[in-house]
Amino acid sequence: MDGALLILIFLIAVALLFDFLNGLHDAANSIATIVATRVLPPVYAVGWAAFFNFIAFLFFGLHVADTIGRGIIDPTVISDQVIFGALMGAISWNVITWLAGIPSSSSHALIGGLLGAGIAKAGTGAVVVAGVTKTVSAIFLSPAVGFSLALVLVLIVSWAFVKVNPSTADKAFRRMQFVSASAYSLGHGGNDAQKTMGIIAVLLFSRAPAGSEFVVPFWVVITCQAAIALGTLFGGWRIVHTMGSRITRLSPQQGFCAETGGAITLFLATGMGIPVSTTHTITGAIVGVGAARRASAVRWGVARSIVTAWFITMPAAAAIGALFYWIGGAFLT
């Protein structure tokens, strides 16, 4: 078999490994609230989330894939080494944070790895400033929007159910959480799987004849959705515990509001082609429902450590991505 083809297959396999680890690492984002409120046991919750992760391609366009493929690093400087460095930077950081039980962002780990490897090859001139600015802005905006929407939803449903028997309301929200958890899993699959699609598509583009257009083949779409769904099936129990119980304790009503607020945020971001962090989004929403009850209901120390991880993810992954770019030069050229 041709050596170049072997390298291509290897890099696609590494990309799908990242996608699998993304589902594994971010499974907590989809199921933490529904598990914490005991609406579903973990084994059923991951299956539920994996299904909606997989079918997300039926509901969303490929705007996020386009941003990752062309909006972070100039696609003309993309090479096998750059893709290898980007993926290994993201995978390495995901494994480190997964082992530590830290809900960091797989999305920003990938973007950091891509930036590190791209800059290692072509300097800062390779950076697409507009795309990076949009993505970095989302670090602050997605949790803020999730927080605000969840807070407003808590107030609305509290008013709407004020005269309803608590037992009846609890049963209603347990049923409604199936809908909200499905919506959040759909948003997670729609935004996160597209990041790997963008990586594979720009890798294929870098090998295409001059004048070719950037496209995302359907086999890439379906394979990436399957990989992230499979990763979700294997769960991420350490992070589920952090997201589902250590930040604040959740009732079914609060779980519904957090998931719904997070899902709306993800739908909006995916529609605008912004690769946001599902971790950031659901964390903001969970803090929002906790704060709606009272500020002391939120374990701010845990939330602070999570926020700290957000800020170090991109530079840490970038440094690792640059290192693997140079390592990749030893056997990819």
Side-chain angles (χ1 to χ4, degrees):
M1 188 179 291
D2 179 71
L5 180 59
L6 281 174
I7 292 174
L8 177 62
I9 293 172
F10 167 73
L11 290 174
I12 291 174
V14 175
L16 293 175
L17 173 62
F18 166 78
D19 205 23
F20 172 83
L21 290 174
N22 191 348
L24 178 74
H25 190 274
D26 289 359
N29 301 341
S30 299
I31 67 172
T33 50
I34 202 168
V35 170
T37 56
R38 297 180 174 82
V39 171
L40 274 180
V43 65
Y44 294 116
V46 291
W48 186 269
F51 172 74
F52 285 98
N53 275 183
F54 177 70
I55 66 169
F57 73 95
L58 297 172
F59 298 88
F60 300 101
L62 298 175
H63 308 301
V64 174
D66 187 70
T67 297
I68 293 293
R70 299 191 292 179
I72 304 298
I73 292 291
D74 184 346
T76 61
V77 307
I78 295 295
S79 65
D80 293 346
Q81 273 182 261
V82 171
I83 295 298
F84 178 73
L87 290 170
M88 291 307 297
I91 288 171
S92 300
W93 187 248
N94 269 0
V95 170
I96 290 168
T97 53
W98 177 69
L99 289 174
I102 301 170
S104 67
S105 167
S106 299
S107 308
H108 293 124
L110 179 61
I111 292 164
L114 187 57
L115 285 170
I119 292 171
K121 178 183 179 182
T124 55
V127 177
V128 180
V129 176
V132 174
T133 300
K134 178 171 68 173
T135 302
V136 171
S137 297
I139 292 177
F140 304 98
L141 290 176
S142 61
V145 173
F147 177 96
S148 301
L149 287 173
L151 185 62
V152 170
L153 283 167
V154 168
L155 297 176
I156 291 173
V157 300
S158 296
W159 177 81
F161 282 78
V162 68
K163 295 183 179 179
V164 178
N165 180 281
S167 176
T168 302
D170 184 76
K171 290 179 182 178
F173 281 110
R174 286 179 179 275
R175 290 192 294 269
M176 290 162 66
Q177 262 204 278
F178 283 100
V179 178
S180 59
S182 302
Y184 193 86
S185 295
L186 203 64
H188 173 237
N191 200 281
D192 274 16
Q194 287 195 45
K195 292 148 192 170
T196 306
M197 295 177 203
I199 288 291
I200 296 176
V202 77
L203 173 63
L204 297 173
F205 175 78
S206 72
R207 291 165 173 263
S212 299
E213 293 185 3
F214 176 88
V215 295
V216 183
F218 181 71
W219 70 265
V220 173
V221 174
I222 201 72
T223 304
C224 289
Q225 295 288 175
I228 198 170
L230 187 62
T232 300
L233 274 176
F234 281 81
W237 308 120
R238 298 182 185 189
I239 299 173
V240 168
H241 175 62
T242 299
M243 300 293 288
S245 62
R246 289 185 61 203
I247 296 175
T248 188
R249 299 214 172 267
L250 298 172
S251 66
Q253 174 187 330
Q254 292 169 321
F256 167 78
C257 293
E259 289 161 349
T260 303
I264 293 171
T265 304
L266 291 181
F267 288 178
L268 291 172
T270 303
M272 293 186 287
I274 303 174
V276 299
S277 166
T278 55
T279 308
H280 294 194
T281 303
I282 196 62
T283 301
I286 291 173
V287 171
V289 298
R293 186 168 54 199
R294 62 182 188 279
S296 61
V298 177
R299 296 184 177 93
W300 296 103
V302 176
R304 192 179 303 113
S305 67
I306 293 171
V307 171
T308 301
W310 296 351
F311 283 99
I312 65 174
T313 289
M314 285 184 68
I320 299 171
L323 175 63
F324 273 102
Y325 169 79
W326 296 114
I327 292 173
F331 64 91
L332 291 176
T333 55

